[in-house]
Amino acid sequence: MLAFAAFAARVIPGTLRGAWGDYLAFSDFFAQWSFGLFARLDDAALIYDGDALHQFQLTLEPALRQFFPYPYPPTYLFVVWPLSWLSYRTAYLVWDIATPALFLWAVFGSRWRTNLLWFVLLAPITIITLILGQNGLLTSALIVGGMRLMRDRPVLGGVFLGLATIKPQLGVLIPLALIGAGYWRVLAAASVSAGVLALASGLAFGWELWPAWLDTLAGHAGYVDRSINNYLKPTIMANLVLLGVALPVAHAVQIGVGVVVAAIVLLCFRRGATDLSIAALQVGTFLAMPYVFRYDMPMQVNAILLLVRDRERSGRGVGPFEAGIIAFALLEPALTTLTTRFFYCSGLSLLLLFGLIVWRRFSSANDVLPTRLTIDALSPHRQGPGHDECD
């Protein structure tokens, strides 16, 4: 917690100065806000035209130095459209209040009166996502919340997972997990909600957006490869490129890692949708996908809480070796934000944490399904022995 607080004190003041400065595009939130304005004030069908979007953004910030293309599916416009009705600073404030609040609800449910709330809120990856004004807390909330709800409320849990398709690469392992666990109602609810969302986006913004998005996917992947700093990506592929590996070879290795991780997650869920299975999926997502960024990773903090919860429930606690891996995973985003010297720590921390979770999953003597309240076993306010744990 001291390290968390030190990192927050290091990065937040500069962000606050930027928020009240004259240059609007000091953070990625400018992109989120400009996307909503473009869809409302211009022809939404042109949002995948990079030149048209960039010219519009220049009208909002003439000194714009970055290029902010719109890479999301048309459904994401429902998220940013409401922001367009607010001034930039008001929208930024609302975004940085609403998205962490939703994420904290996803992690803790109604049991938010716990010191662990500060642990999640001050984690470096949470702070990074907040100061960038990015959508990682929102997408993590949808996935974490959906998986927390899916056992007792399969339809509602599926709806949350379906809404997470606003950033589809983060949900690539979810169908495999649901099939492996036999959660057919959750899968059906997720599919229906995703379909309804897609239909609504076509009706609201025009059907031509969908083929336009599909046409730009390959080009955007190339843009991310060529133009986005690999130091911002925690992926195996980015780490390999920074180590000097040729991009085609790095792509091939990333595909191989993705296949292995997907198979492991499927095997975990075939043994049951336990806390450790969910943790393996939430960490494995960032190993399996080539195009994710540091700010996409808040749900890794939830995965760590699930791992610790499993150790508490087993009565054995967390040993020094495990504690070292957990601390490394928690502090790595701060380390790689403050310096690029140890860039390889991002991929290494993911591999170690995923390996620890999977090892614990397959070495568990009993397959215990997650309780309704994800963090109960860690909460100082959990009910006493005279009460049902799930009550």
Side-chain angles (χ1 to χ4, degrees):
M1 289 298 292
L2 288 173
F4 288 3
F7 177 72
R10 172 68 175 79
V11 298
I12 288 177
T15 302
L16 293 177
R17 287 193 296 270
W20 293 104
D22 295 328
Y23 182 63
L24 295 183
F26 73 94
S27 81
D28 288 359
F29 182 74
F30 174 80
Q32 311 293 323
W33 181 66
S34 70
F35 296 154
L37 276 172
F38 186 91
R40 182 167 70 88
L41 301 178
D42 212 311
D43 184 357
L46 295 176
I47 199 165
Y48 294 106
D49 183 331
D51 291 334
L53 179 58
H54 185 65
Q55 291 302 314
F56 177 81
Q57 290 168 339
L58 284 172
T59 66
L60 303 174
E61 178 49 80
L64 182 64
R65 298 184 291 269
Q66 296 102 315
F67 183 66
F68 290 117
Y70 180 79
Y72 305 103
T75 50
Y76 188 69
L77 290 175
F78 284 122
V79 175
V80 293
W81 177 277
L83 300 174
S84 69
W85 298 92
L86 303 174
S87 68
Y88 177 75
R89 290 186 179 88
T90 302
Y92 203 159
L93 181 63
V94 169
W95 183 261
D96 268 7
I97 291 175
T99 56
L102 184 61
F103 181 62
L104 290 172
W105 168 83
V107 173
F108 296 106
S110 61
R111 296 297 181 92
W112 56 270
R113 293 181 180 178
T114 166
N115 290 333
L116 288 172
L117 184 142
W118 293 105
F119 176 85
V120 173
L121 193 59
L122 288 176
I125 198 61
T126 306
I127 298 297
I128 290 168
T129 308
L130 283 172
I131 64 176
L132 288 175
Q134 265 290 353
N135 53 30
L137 288 164
L138 172 61
T139 52
S140 292
L142 294 173
I143 294 173
V144 170
M147 304 206 107
R148 184 172 64 81
L149 293 168
M150 68 183 183
R151 184 186 176 208
D152 294 325
R153 300 180 182 179
V155 173
L156 184 58
V159 169
F160 271 82
L161 296 176
L163 294 177
T165 55
I166 57 174
K167 203 161 189 177
Q169 69 267 36
L170 297 182
V172 68
L173 298 179
I174 292 175
L176 282 176
L178 297 180
I179 291 170
Y183 277 33
W184 302 109
R185 289 179 65 191
V186 180
L187 183 61
S191 301
V192 170
S193 61
V196 170
L197 189 63
L199 178 65
S201 69
L203 293 172
F205 304 111
W207 295 107
E208 60 270 31
L209 265 71
W210 282 99
W213 176 60
L214 294 173
D215 287 343
T216 61
L217 284 180
H220 186 71
Y223 165 77
V224 173
D225 277 338
R226 295 186 308 270
S227 305
I228 302 297
N229 196 328
N230 280 310
Y231 290 108
L232 301 175
K233 308 167 195 171
T235 64
I236 297 297
M237 187 179 74
N239 279 199
L240 290 174
V241 171
L242 288 171
L243 287 169
V245 177
L247 184 59
V249 177
H251 271 291
V253 173
Q254 178 68 72
I255 291 171
V257 171
V259 171
V260 171
V261 169
I264 291 173
V265 169
L266 177 61
L267 289 174
C268 287
F269 276 84
R270 283 183 64 84
R271 296 187 62 183
T274 65
D275 285 343
L276 288 177
S277 296
I278 293 171
L281 181 147
Q282 292 174 353
V283 175
T285 295
F286 306 111
L287 284 171
M289 296 307 299
Y291 300 116
V292 291
F293 296 91
R294 204 175 294 149
Y295 53 71
D296 291 319
M297 298 176 64
M299 65 180 173
Q300 179 179 279
V301 180
N302 182 71
I304 289 171
L305 289 180
L306 294 178
L307 172 62
V308 176
R309 177 181 186 273
D310 175 80
R311 298 299 281 157
E312 291 289 324
R313 186 170 50 205
S314 71
R316 284 178 281 184
V318 177
F321 180 72
E322 293 173 307
I325 293 177
I326 290 170
F328 183 32
L330 288 167
L331 295 175
E332 173 275 321
L335 176 66
T336 52
T337 295
L338 297 174
T339 176
T340 59
R341 184 176 303 172
F342 305 108
F343 64 86
Y344 50 84
C345 288
S346 59
L348 181 60
S349 68
L350 284 171
L351 286 170
L352 288 173
L353 182 60
F354 183 72
L356 174 60
I357 292 169
V358 171
W359 174 72
R360 284 291 309 139
R361 179 68 184 91
F362 287 104
S363 64
S364 297
N366 299 308
D367 290 337
V368 183
L369 288 172
T371 56
R372 183 178 306 161
L373 297 169
T374 308
I375 315 298
D376 280 355
L378 296 175
S379 173
H381 298 280
R382 60 182 174 176
Q383 298 182 52
H387 295 273
D388 188 300
E389 183 178 325
C390 292
D391 191 8

